[in-house]
Amino acid sequence: SFCTLLEGGRGGTMGSLFKARDWWQTRCGDNEEFDKRCLVLGNIDNDPSGLDKIVTGSFQGTLRIYQPKQKGYKADDLLLEQELDGPILQLAAGKFLSNSNHTLLAVLNPQKLVIYNVQRVGGAQEGSHDPLNRQYTLAKQYEQLLDRLAFNFVHGPFGQAQRDHVCVQTLDGKLNFFEQEKSYFTRYLSNPSSGSEKSFLLPGLLCYDAGIDSFITNTSTFEVECYRYSTFVSSSGSEDKDSEGKKLRCDWSVNVGEDVVDIQLCRFFKPSGNPTTEIVVLCDRTLFILKETGEIRQQQRLDYFPTCLVPYPLNQVQNIHNLIVGTQTASVMIYNDQKLLWSAKTNHTPVALGVVTLAKLEGFIVLLSDDGHLSCNYLGTDPATQPTQLLDTTRELDYDDMDEEHRQLQQLIRQAVNAGKSEPEDHITLQYNCPSQLDDCAPGDMDSTPGGGGKYCTVRLYVAYTGKEDIENAILTISVPQPFELAQSSILIERVEGGGAPQMLPLTFSMSNDPGVACLTPTSLQAEVICCYSSPAGEPLTSRCSFFLPMSLAGCAIPPVKNPNFKITLETNLAPPPLQVLFDDVIGTSGEAQSVNVLSFQYNNSSDVTILISKSANRCRIQASHFESLWLLTAELVRRMKIYYGAQNQALKIKYADSLPFQDYFQVVDTHFKARVQLAESQHKLSERAHQFRSIQKRLLVRFKDRNPSPLNNLDKLFEDTYRQLLSISEEVDRHQQSLSVASNVLVCATHLILLLVQYRFDMKKEDIKIFKHYLSPIVVDSPTQGWEECTDAAMTHLLRTSLAKTYKEAMSMPQPLQVPPDTNKLKKHIALVCDRLAKGGSLRNEKPPSKDQK
């Protein structure tokens, strides 16, 4: 059943139940590329029998002509294979000679348009068996040279001519009109709707509508425009970009809001009166049907990404067309009068489609992929090889068994719907062996001693697959927080043996060699490994694991110091264990005598932090010389106490009774915002000096090229002074970027600490603090337009308008636009207000705002 059998209304709406059957297929060369303009179908050699041929041209410059005559590819199906001079951008068949009605082949190269005549030389008569002696040649009729790089072309009877004219579009929007062998005129496309007549960004598709003698194209502003041919003829001022005169004006313009994939002309709807031609515009996610006047007759949202489009005649009497759309998921969709008739899978993703008659059979779908797979397909299924078994009608029906089977099937359907898609049983497992101590020596340096130069920690990662088949090309991605680094953050595993022994991979972590990164305070010790791979069935899967690096990699234990600049106190319901037990990995490698209740830790950037355990009360005090230094050791203390008491089956409860350190936290926020402002000011200053430098350069070049140069008037001194200023400001930008990097690191640590204290201050559950982290995010992104301050302020404002709103007036307040604020006063006020609402029992899960009756 071929595609011409799919008449309107007969097929109904189909899903992707069938696969397009391959009648004939081949590969057009190796490592060649094609697109939608590289395929032409027709009687290109003017054969009296009218048999169609398939013509392909690649970007590598190879032209091929095929004529399939039976199922399966044969050597004599390839009529011609010739390498042309330059890449083939587009092919077309038409009447391009003024003194002949023969069909010729137009080939567009980057700098010329060549017209060829495909001739058959020697051999037997057409239709007889002639696999060897038949030869085809290309006879060049004429060529048109282009002064600019070409993009595409369109042909047709422009101005109601008797034969085909050609219009070639270049990359800068220049249209070259050719009337057979001679050049007619040139025009430049403009886009007045964008605010400037001379503006042109990217070339678009070209389509000629002979019914209204107009050209349809698309622009980079997501618009479809129509230009009449008479407008091109009369617009004398468009021959040059800078010329004055009558400029081009489009006849109509439609904003489709998406990038256009293809434009075709057809009669898509059943005519109610006079038959009219529709303009089919295929976009990234929408199919538009436009009238010739520019009105949108229909638009249909697509649930796939299309690649190409081709109409084919369905009814020769009324000249009604169906549409075939190729998708990126290797499928073809067939539409008729607003309905999807058929959907079929293909072996390759099509970039060009066509419908052709081969071997006296109508309706073959010709498919060309971007890598050169060419095939002729038909729809439907192959005939059954076994006869259908007849039902035994003599046996009586057991309705009880039928009801029981129906109930079981209903239960299975409900379970499948509720459970969703289950994970496959066979998967890649990731296991690790993370040491608690550092390596004795650096990688590749067996003479290194501990405590000497750098610090290294090697984690052994074991990768295995539980299935029986092998997994190929698995990719490991390792994410490690700053200031730590890994020599290779992405690892390709060519083969993972199924059911075999685990494959061991050593991962050596160390401190960053970049001084600008090594001076940062660690934000976390947790590293994460993600493995991306494809199952034997081709399904993409992932596996992941995470582990904590040893504390010794971030610093070392030092003798107790007094640093009460910043301090916090945590209360527990159980007596804290000795610090030698909790931090045995840190104290055991320090070589310093440590007290049972005191531990001082110094980071690699020389900042220190101290833990004090109360002897009489269940309290832990953490104090540090810098506010951001409190975070990591506090988080490690809490994590290790939970592990310690969890092993003893005891429930640990932690509470923070003091007021939140908003003053210290807001000082960190102000420092980060000040660093952003300073960087923006220095970048603006650098832009101004660069503009000044270029202007002086242009003036100096003009004077040096002049035969009678005028005096420089100290322009050379101004040039040198501007250059020195550029160097000075560039160094200033580098310093401010480093300052912003440090301020962002401090803000990340401080935000993590505030979130931890908020959790224990208001006794929040894990689900609530997880939600709150999405609003007060510890992820700091230094963007010049949407930075952390404005995003956090918008999130806090949203909380105060929804979950934490007290009155209807607050819930109905309009949100402020997301822009860089002049200061951080509103942000600090909103953060304090949110924490105050949480202290008074506010819930983050209540998304329903107060009602209008509530005051």
Side-chain angles (χ1 to χ4, degrees):
S1 56
F2 303 117
C3 62
T4 52
L5 299 180
L6 295 175
E7 299 182 358
R10 182 182 299 181
T13 300
M14 294 286 181
S16 185
L17 301 177
F18 303 103
K19 184 178 183 298
R21 315 300 298 183
D22 290 334
W23 184 76
W24 180 92
Q25 61 178 346
T26 185
R27 178 73 181 271
C28 300
D30 295 326
N31 300 323
E32 297 188 29
E33 298 180 19
F34 303 80
D35 74 347
K36 63 173 65 68
R37 298 186 290 268
C38 296
L39 177 68
V40 167
L41 308 176
N43 185 18
I44 197 64
D45 60 343
N46 300 282
D47 183 13
S49 62
L51 298 178
D52 291 335
K53 282 80 179 177
I54 303 174
V55 186
T56 64
S58 67
F59 290 158
Q60 282 66 33
T62 303
L63 180 74
R64 297 178 178 87
I65 302 178
Y66 299 91
Q67 185 184 7
K69 298 176 291 299
Q70 57 186 350
K71 186 174 183 179
Y73 175 77
K74 304 295 182 182
D76 60 333
D77 292 342
L78 179 60
L79 305 182
L80 175 69
E81 182 176 14
Q82 183 171 336
E83 186 172 350
L84 302 184
D85 185 15
I88 300 176
L89 304 182
Q90 185 175 348
L91 299 173
K95 300 177 181 179
F96 301 119
L97 279 180
S98 58
N99 56 358
S100 174
N101 287 326
H102 285 179
T103 300
L104 302 180
L105 178 65
V107 179
L108 180 64
N109 297 125
Q111 302 237 347
K112 61 182 178 180
L113 174 70
V114 188
I115 304 299
Y116 294 100
N117 184 14
V118 181
Q119 299 176 346
R120 183 175 183 270
V121 180
Q125 296 295 325
E126 186 67 34
S128 61
H129 182 67
D130 183 21
L132 299 177
N133 296 329
R134 181 174 45 179
Q135 295 180 0
Y136 285 81
T137 61
L138 287 179
K140 182 189 295 186
Q141 301 302 307
Y142 63 89
E143 67 179 21
Q144 299 287 355
L145 299 181
L146 306 173
D147 57 350
R148 288 173 170 82
L149 294 178
F151 179 71
N152 59 1
F153 75 92
V154 67
H155 66 93
F158 305 161
Q160 299 179 354
Q162 297 299 323
R163 291 178 174 84
D164 288 337
H165 295 187
V166 179
C167 173
V168 179
Q169 180 181 205
T170 62
L171 289 175
D172 60 348
K174 183 179 180 181
L175 299 181
N176 300 270
F177 289 85
F178 301 101
E179 184 179 352
Q180 282 84 46
E181 298 89 344
K182 62 181 180 179
S183 177
Y184 196 15
F185 60 87
T186 62
R187 295 291 183 264
Y188 276 92
L189 279 179
S190 61
N191 187 9
S193 62
S194 64
S196 173
E197 292 183 351
K198 302 178 182 179
S199 62
F200 183 85
L201 182 58
L202 295 173
L205 303 172
L206 276 180
C207 183
Y208 176 71
D209 188 351
I212 58 176
D213 195 21
S214 300
F215 294 83
I216 295 93
T217 183
N218 65 292
T219 67
S220 56
T221 57
F222 301 149
E223 293 180 331
V224 176
E225 296 180 345
C226 176
Y227 294 89
R228 292 192 178 273
Y229 179 69
S230 58
T231 304
F232 287 123
V233 176
S234 61
S235 58
S236 60
S238 297
E239 294 185 1
D240 191 357
K241 287 186 175 180
D242 300 326
S243 63
E244 299 295 335
K246 187 176 180 181
K247 295 293 182 179
L248 285 177
R249 286 292 185 272
C250 62
D251 191 39
W252 50 261
S253 176
V254 177
N255 190 342
V256 295
E258 298 178 11
D259 192 18
V260 177
V261 177
D262 206 348
I263 301 176
Q264 296 289 343
L265 300 176
C266 67
R267 292 179 179 175
F268 190 55
F269 295 97
K270 295 180 179 178
S272 56
N274 295 327
T276 58
T277 301
E278 286 86 23
I279 302 170
V280 182
V281 180
L282 180 64
C283 299
D284 283 337
R285 296 305 297 267
T286 310
L287 180 66
F288 290 91
I289 309 296
L290 308 180
K291 297 182 180 179
E292 291 181 328
T293 57
E295 300 177 13
I296 298 179
R297 183 168 183 177
Q298 178 196 343
Q299 68 183 66
Q300 181 173 351
R301 192 67 175 170
L302 306 178
D303 56 354
Y304 53 84
F305 291 98
T307 58
C308 53
L309 165 73
V310 63
Y312 70 93
L314 177 66
N315 190 326
Q316 298 292 346
V317 178
Q318 296 180 342
N319 197 16
I320 304 300
H321 293 77
N322 278 0
L323 294 180
I324 305 180
V325 180
T327 72
Q328 293 184 8
T329 56
S331 301
V332 289
M333 308 289 183
I334 300 181
Y335 294 90
N336 171 268
D337 197 8
Q338 309 180 32
K339 292 185 297 184
L340 176 64
L341 296 184
W342 200 271
S343 173
K345 294 289 290 184
T346 59
N347 292 329
H348 306 281
T349 301
V351 296
L353 290 171
V355 178
V356 70
T357 299
L358 299 173
K360 299 182 180 181
L361 296 176
E362 297 180 352
F364 280 106
I365 300 178
V366 180
L367 182 149
L368 177 64
S369 65
D370 59 351
D371 56 353
H373 285 91
L374 179 66
S375 62
C376 300
N377 306 271
Y378 61 91
L379 303 179
T381 57
D382 290 334
T385 57
Q386 296 181 356
T388 305
Q389 299 292 332
L390 297 177
L391 295 177
D392 186 7
T393 58
T394 59
R395 188 179 63 180
E396 296 183 0
L397 298 178
D398 191 344
Y399 292 100
D400 294 336
D401 291 344
M402 294 172 61
D403 291 339
E404 180 64 26
E405 184 180 3
H406 182 262
R407 283 193 296 268
Q408 293 178 359
L409 293 176
Q410 289 285 359
Q411 184 178 1
L412 291 176
I413 292 174
R414 284 193 296 267
Q415 291 177 356
V417 171
N418 296 332
K421 187 176 181 181
S422 60
E423 291 292 332
E425 297 180 358
D426 298 332
H427 60 278
I428 283 183
T429 59
L430 300 177
Q431 297 180 351
Y432 60 89
N433 183 8
C434 183
S436 60
Q437 305 295 337
L438 301 179
D439 296 347
D440 294 336
C441 59
D445 186 8
M446 300 303 297
D447 296 332
S448 300
T449 57
K455 297 180 178 180
Y456 301 92
C457 174
T458 301
V459 178
R460 291 175 174 82
L461 183 69
Y462 298 92
V463 183
Y465 182 62
T466 58
K468 296 181 180 180
E469 301 183 28
D470 295 345
I471 299 296
E472 296 182 354
N473 299 327
I475 299 177
L476 287 178
T477 303
I478 301 97
S479 175
V480 58
Q482 291 182 338
F484 310 117
E485 69 174 6
L486 189 64
Q488 189 176 1
S489 60
S490 181
I491 301 175
L492 174 64
I493 305 177
E494 295 183 355
R495 182 181 298 274
V496 180
E497 296 183 0
Q503 183 176 351
M504 194 275 289
L505 298 175
L507 306 177
T508 302
F509 298 87
S510 63
M511 290 294 297
S512 176
N513 294 324
D514 186 1
V517 179
C519 66
L520 303 179
T521 302
T523 58
S524 175
L525 295 176
Q526 187 175 13
E528 187 175 18
V529 180
I530 300 177
C531 180
C532 301
Y533 62 99
S534 297
S535 66
E539 182 181 6
L541 299 173
T542 59
S543 298
R544 65 177 59 199
C545 72
S546 60
F547 50 86
F548 287 87
L549 300 175
M551 190 74 180
S552 303
L553 192 62
C556 61
I558 60 175
V561 295
K562 293 183 179 180
N563 46 9
N565 296 339
F566 303 92
K567 57 185 177 181
I568 59 174
T569 303
L570 299 179
E571 300 178 358
T572 60
N573 62 329
L574 301 173
L579 293 177
Q580 285 84 350
V581 177
L582 290 180
F583 294 93
D584 57 339
D585 56 335
V586 178
I587 298 176
T589 59
S590 64
E592 298 287 346
Q594 297 289 335
S595 174
V596 178
N597 300 324
V598 180
L599 170 64
S600 292
F601 186 83
Q602 186 180 55
Y603 296 106
N604 294 322
N605 60 358
S606 301
S607 60
D608 53 74
V609 58
T610 303
I611 300 178
L612 301 174
I613 302 296
S614 175
K615 298 180 180 179
S616 58
N618 299 338
R619 293 181 181 178
C620 302
R621 171 175 293 182
I622 303 97
Q623 57 188 23
S625 56
H626 300 84
F627 184 69
E628 66 274 10
S629 302
L630 294 172
W631 154 244
L632 185 62
L633 202 61
T634 303
E636 277 296 300
L637 175 64
V638 171
R639 184 179 72 88
R640 297 187 181 209
M641 284 198 301
K642 289 182 178 179
I643 295 176
Y644 177 82
Y645 287 112
Q648 301 178 6
N649 296 326
Q650 295 182 357
L652 176 67
K653 293 184 180 180
I654 303 176
K655 185 173 181 59
Y656 178 73
D658 299 335
S659 59
L660 296 173
F662 280 136
Q663 183 177 357
D664 301 328
Y665 180 64
F666 290 157
Q667 186 176 357
V668 172
V669 174
D670 291 337
T671 303
H672 178 263
F673 184 73
K674 182 180 178 181
R676 285 184 58 195
V677 173
Q678 290 177 346
L679 178 60
E681 291 176 352
S682 60
Q683 289 177 340
H684 180 68
K685 191 188 303 182
L686 180 63
S687 177
E688 290 180 344
R689 292 297 182 271
H691 178 71
Q692 176 179 325
F693 185 76
R694 290 191 296 269
S695 300
I696 299 173
Q697 274 185 324
K698 292 179 181 179
R699 293 190 179 186
L700 287 174
L701 289 174
V702 170
R703 296 195 180 189
F704 287 150
K705 291 181 179 179
D706 194 358
R707 293 183 177 180
N708 298 318
S710 58
L712 295 179
N713 294 332
N714 297 324
L715 273 179
D716 54 342
K717 296 182 180 180
L718 182 60
F719 181 79
E720 294 177 359
D721 184 64
T722 305
Y723 180 70
R724 285 193 295 267
Q725 291 181 14
L726 274 176
L727 296 180
S728 176
I729 298 175
S730 299
E731 295 176 355
E732 181 182 347
V733 170
D734 291 339
R735 291 194 301 270
H736 288 162
Q737 286 179 342
Q738 178 62 26
S739 300
L740 180 60
S741 177
V742 174
S744 300
N745 171 258
V746 173
L747 181 58
V748 171
C749 296
T751 305
H752 274 298
L753 180 62
I754 285 294
L755 290 171
L756 181 70
L757 298 181
V758 166
Q759 177 183 2
Y760 296 134
R761 179 70 175 84
F762 306 133
D763 194 19
M764 298 178 66
K765 297 181 180 180
K766 289 183 179 181
E767 293 78 7
D768 294 331
I769 196 63
K770 185 177 180 180
I771 296 174
F772 191 50
K773 281 183 179 180
H774 291 291
Y775 290 93
L776 187 59
S777 175
I779 302 175
V780 178
V781 179
D782 295 323
S783 173
T785 55
Q786 294 183 3
W788 182 87
E789 285 78 8
E790 46 266 39
C791 293
T792 304
D793 188 25
M796 295 294 104
T797 305
H798 177 75
L799 274 180
L800 295 173
R801 291 177 57 250
T802 55
S803 302
L804 301 180
K806 297 179 65 177
T807 62
Y808 177 77
K809 182 179 180 180
E810 289 184 357
M812 293 296 105
S813 61
M814 295 297 296
Q816 297 297 322
L818 196 62
Q819 59 186 7
V820 180
D823 50 46
T824 59
N825 293 332
K826 287 186 177 180
L827 170 63
K828 294 185 288 188
K829 177 182 177 182
H830 291 159
I831 293 177
L833 188 57
V834 167
C835 293
D836 181 66
R837 299 275 175 90
L838 292 175
K840 294 180 180 179
S843 175
L844 298 177
R845 304 185 190 183
N846 182 22
E847 290 293 340
K848 185 178 180 181
S851 61
K852 190 173 182 180
D853 298 334
Q854 183 177 355
K855 297 183 180 179

